[in-house]
């Protein structure tokens, strides 16, 4: 049976095992994630802003740019992809349009958060959240868009832990659940005890955001599952690895030669990008002449 992206995600969430979710930023990174057998990805706003604009994740990327990038990513893979909808790009009606646009682009779920616009990466300085009623209005608008025909899951995020403490973050997330959010995400708990409290206090699927060098401890998937998380997101890992590798190759190029051990063989590069599949498809049509 050919399931839709949201239904594929629903099936994954129904299983009693944590989903390890590397995050992508363009179609190629999404394809690599799929090729390596991961069942789910997330289009990270942090890395997508860096890859598309060469700029930080500080609300500089527009709705049109993020949907365009997301459509290309979703078209490149068969695994479900969650999209970063930031603050929804405006008021409640903007949020409804954002949810509709993400569903049309092929996303399985959209994340909507309660930060003040322009938002910030959850592990950097300068972030703040809107008041409770505005935060709840955003999730209400998102679930309304879903009820009106946009088949997409709602991942509700709060950054209230930063300025208002964990109790406020948990209370907001609880209300998000009551409003119909499918997945809950409290950004940047400071230690394992806080992560445990989140999972004990909140119902339904919960996501942990694991940034190497960030504010939240990077626990193993097994430990996260035991605590009660359903998804382990790794938003920066691929980009940080790619940037380090590219800088190393560039530094070697200054000497006129790159160590072959640093490079993926050209045949594998072509295969992973899709040349082999393209030529095979091309040959089928040529054989009919």
């Amino acid at each position: 049976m050919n399931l839709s992206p949201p239904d594929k995600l629903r099936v994954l969430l129904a299983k009693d095992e944590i989903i390890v979710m590397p995050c992508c930023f363009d179609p190629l990174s999404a394809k690599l994630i799929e090729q390596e057998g991961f069942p789910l990805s997330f289009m990270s706003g942090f890395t997508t802003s860096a890859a598309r604009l060469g700029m930080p994740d500080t609300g500089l990327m527009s709705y049109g740019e993020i949907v365009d990038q997301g459509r290309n990513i979703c078209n490149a893979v068969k695994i479900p992809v969650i999209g970063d909808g930031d603050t929804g790009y405006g008021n409640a009606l903007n949020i409804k349009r954002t949810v509709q646009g993400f569903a049309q682009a092929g996303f399985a779920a959209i994340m909507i958060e309660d930060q003040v616009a322009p938002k910030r990466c959850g592990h950097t300085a300068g972030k703040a959240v809107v008041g409770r009623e505005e935060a709840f209005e955003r999730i209400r608008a998102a679930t309304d868009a879903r009820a009106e025909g946009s088949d997409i899951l709602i991942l509700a995020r709060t950054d209230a832990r930063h300025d208002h403490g964990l109790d406020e973050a948990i209370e907001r997330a609880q209300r998000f659940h009551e409003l119909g959010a499918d997945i809950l995400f409290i950004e940047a708990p400071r230690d394992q005890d806080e992560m445990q409290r989140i999972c004990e206090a909140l119902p339904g699927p919960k996501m942990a955001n694991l940034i190497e060098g960030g504010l939240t401890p990077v626990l193993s998937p097994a430990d996260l599952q035991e605590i009660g998380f359903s998804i382990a997101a790794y938003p920066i890992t691929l980009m940080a690895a790619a940037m380090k590798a590219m800088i190393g190759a560039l530094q070697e190029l200054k000497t006129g030669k790159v160590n072959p051990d640093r490079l993926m063989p050209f045949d594998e590069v072509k295969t992973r990008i899709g040349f082999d599949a393209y030529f095979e498809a091309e040959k089928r049509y040529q054989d009919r002449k």
Side-chain angles (χ1 to χ4, degrees), residues 7 24 28 82 93 111 113 166 202 223 226 263 289:
D7 281 342
C24 62
L28 179 58
I82 301 173
L93 295 180
M111 184 174 75
E113 63 190 67
L166 188 61
L202 295 174
D223 287 340
E226 184 175 352
L263 304 178
K289 293 180 181 179

Side-chain angles (χ1 to χ4, degrees), residues 57-78:
D57 182 24
T58 51
L60 297 171
M61 198 161 41
S62 70
Y63 163 77
E65 290 170 318
I66 197 77
V67 168
D68 178 65
Q69 192 85 344
R71 184 179 297 109
N72 290 336
I73 287 171
C74 292
N75 284 340
V77 295
K78 293 181 173 60

